[in-house]
Amino acid sequence: MDEQGCESFISDCHVRSAVELLNHRWDPIVVAALRMGPTRRSTLLDRIAGVSDKVLTESLRRLAARGLIARTPRVVERDAAVYELTSLGASFAEGPLAHLAQWAAVNQAALSGTS
């Protein structure tokens, strides 16, 4: 693959930096869960089966550092901070991540080895 002089195996390639968004198991799942709109961390814990509190917190911090989500603190009550997708996060969620999910759904049998 060669787009604008970028080979897919080169470490500073834009494809590699995009793939790193999928590198952590829970990050794409958190992004997908936030497609429903601004959400508290405790609600995300309930919504995402199997994720621990610690792992969710790490994922939220990582995604915020990359500019994919924003955290809006609320001083009224504890754990009232709201997380939401930024425009960058929404473009990832509604673009490549949505296409990947659609592809996985279409190919689920082949991917699970049941076809």
Side-chain angles (χ1 to χ4, degrees), residues 5-66:
C6 181
E7 297 289 331
S8 59
F9 58 85
I10 297 174
S11 64
D12 62 347
C13 180
H14 58 275
V15 173
R16 177 173 236 137
S17 63
V19 169
E20 286 178 2
L21 297 174
L22 303 171
N23 203 24
H24 294 278
R25 176 181 180 187
W26 293 103
D27 290 3
I29 296 166
V30 171
V31 169
L34 287 171
R35 287 181 68 197
M36 295 182 207
T39 309
R40 290 180 173 186
R41 188 184 58 73
S42 58
T43 303
L44 287 171
L45 269 172
D46 293 338
R47 190 179 290 167
I48 303 171
V51 70
S52 71
D53 187 21
K54 178 184 175 187
V55 170
L56 177 61
T57 299
E58 290 169 353
S59 183
L60 290 169
R61 287 180 181 155
R62 196 169 33 252
L63 292 167
R66 290 183 173 172

Side-chain angles (χ1 to χ4, degrees), residues 88-115:
L88 178 64
S91 70
F92 175 64
E94 296 164 11
L97 191 58
H99 290 291
L100 181 62
Q102 181 181 19
W103 175 84
V106 168
N107 295 288
Q108 184 174 8
L111 291 170
S112 65
T114 60
S115 64

Side-chain angles (χ1 to χ4, degrees), residues 73-85:
R74 305 275 193 235
V75 294
V76 177
E77 58 185 280
R78 191 180 190 302
D79 184 36
V82 174
Y83 294 88
E84 62 186 311
L85 295 174

